[in-house]
Amino acid sequence: LIKENHISFPQGLDTGEDLLVNLNLYLHAHCVVGIDNPSYHYRHTEDSGSFQHTEKSIKSVIDVARRIESLMKDTGNYEKYDNVTLLVETNGVYSDTLRLKRLIEKVGSARVAVLWDIHHPYRYMEESPEETVKNIGSYIKHVHVKDSLMVDGKPKYKLMGQGDMPLKSIFASLA
């Protein structure tokens, strides 16, 4: 599949190259099978690319969005999946929702929107839910909800209602 369709990791991107490869594989596959077993573990480290903000990484995300659109058109899937929206999560450098808003506006496509992971802007950028919704509210298409406490400077995830996330304020800001 990889050789037949000349699929490779694009060079020169700081982020999103795996998304392009996976989408390309999916679009060219004759059969896709799901495995009901989580076998992927994502480790966050402070020097991870997810937490680094450079002009190049911003350009990479914009480039990836444009390449996805081109790939969808080139494979004849653009119209077929016209109800699909690429969501950029409020995580890493995009925990700063003003930065994320600028990215979404720069991409300028109705097919690119926001997945609001309530934890990251609140914990890492100290944004209130009201501020987050003011910044990106019109772009939010999906929300990840979780509760946590900060313990020794690190988040400790808790059952809903057992942490100190401002859940009532978050839900009210979405109304």
Side-chain angles (χ1 to χ4, degrees):
L1 181 69
I2 293 170
K3 287 182 182 179
E4 285 173 27
N5 295 288
H6 309 286
I7 298 171
S8 62
F9 280 88
Q11 300 298 309
L13 295 176
D14 276 8
T15 187
E17 65 280 2
D18 54 343
L19 174 62
L20 284 169
V21 169
N22 289 331
L23 179 60
N24 218 331
L25 290 168
Y26 175 77
L27 291 172
H28 288 93
H30 299 290
C31 177
V32 176
V33 177
I35 300 172
D36 190 21
N37 177 20
S39 57
Y40 184 83
H41 176 72
Y42 187 83
R43 239 179 69 234
H44 284 280
T45 59
E46 289 305 314
D47 59 347
S48 162
S50 296
F51 289 95
Q52 302 301 312
H53 167 61
T54 65
E55 198 60 37
K56 186 177 179 189
S57 67
I58 298 291
K59 288 179 181 174
S60 287
V61 171
I62 294 167
D63 188 22
V64 166
R66 290 187 177 133
R67 288 183 192 210
I68 287 171
E69 188 171 27
S70 293
L71 176 62
M72 295 299 285
K73 286 178 179 175
D74 294 346
T75 58
N77 286 294
Y78 195 75
E79 287 76 23
K80 181 178 176 183
Y81 295 104
D82 68 347
N83 62 339
V84 174
T85 301
L86 173 67
L87 299 179
V88 182
E89 186 172 354
T90 57
N91 194 346
V93 297
Y94 298 116
S95 294
D96 176 345
T97 61
L98 275 178
R99 178 179 291 153
L100 178 54
K101 179 181 180 180
R102 287 191 298 270
L103 171 76
I104 298 294
E105 289 173 347
K106 195 167 189 176
V107 170
S109 170
R111 291 186 175 185
V112 179
V114 172
L115 183 161
W116 179 22
D117 184 320
I118 65 168
H119 186 262
H120 301 282
Y122 180 78
R123 286 285 177 222
Y124 300 114
M125 302 308 292
E126 299 178 356
E127 282 187 15
S128 69
E130 296 78 15
E131 181 181 359
T132 298
V133 169
K134 178 182 163 207
N135 292 342
I136 59 171
S138 62
Y139 301 112
I140 295 172
K141 301 295 181 200
H142 186 81
V143 180
H144 281 179
V145 179
K146 57 184 102 169
D147 207 353
S148 66
L149 290 170
M150 292 302 282
V151 178
D152 298 324
K154 295 182 180 180
K156 182 172 175 82
Y157 293 104
K158 299 296 216 172
L159 293 174
M160 294 298 289
Q162 293 183 5
D164 64 2
M165 293 289 294
L167 298 174
K168 287 182 182 178
S169 178
I170 289 164
F171 297 140
S173 69
L174 288 168

